[in-house]
C-alpha cells in the first residue's frame, strides 16, 4: 500500500497548460463544457520537470487526439513507444 499512498500524495500538474513563468497549473478542470481549458494531460510535477519540450508536446498531442468518448478519462502513455529502425537489421 505504500506505493499507492506515494502516488496519491504527489503533486499532479497539467503539462498541456503551462503558465508564462514556466510553472504548471494544477491537474484537472471543473467541467468540460464550461471550461476554456483543453483536455488536460496530467503527470507528477517531478516527471514534468524532467521531460523535454518535445516529449511534453507529444504527450499532450496524443492525449487530445485520443479524445474523451463516453465521459470517462482516457489514459494515454506519457512517453511514445519507440519504433524499430530498419537501418541495421534490414537488407541493404
Amino acid at each position: 500500500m505504500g506505493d499507492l499512498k506515494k502516488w496519491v500524495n504527489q503533486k499532479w500538474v497539467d503539462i498541456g497548460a503551462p503558465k508564462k513563468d514556466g510553472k504548471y497549473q494544477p491537474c484537472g478542470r471543473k467541467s468540460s463544457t464550461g471550461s476554456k481549458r483543453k483536455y488536460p494531460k496530467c503527470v507528477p510535477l517531478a516527471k514534468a520537470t524532467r521531460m523535454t519540450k518535445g516529449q511534453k508536446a507529444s504527450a499532450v498531442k496524443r492525449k487530445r487526439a485520443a479524445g474523451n468518448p463516453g465521459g470517462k478519462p482516457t489514459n494515454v502513455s506519457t512517453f511514445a513507444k519507440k519504433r524499430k529502425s530498419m537501418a541495421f537489421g534490414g537488407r541493404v
Side-chain angles (χ1 to χ4, degrees), residues 39-54:
Y39 199 42
K41 172 61 178 158
C42 300
V43 296
L45 180 61
K47 183 180 281 189
T49 57
R50 289 192 314 259
M51 293 173 72
T52 65
K53 189 175 181 179

Side-chain angles (χ1 to χ4, degrees), residues 14 16-17 38-41 59-68:
D14 181 5
K38 295 182 180 178
Y39 199 42
K41 172 61 178 158
V60 170
K61 182 179 175 184
R62 285 182 286 110
K63 174 79 173 200
R64 292 188 180 151
N68 191 15

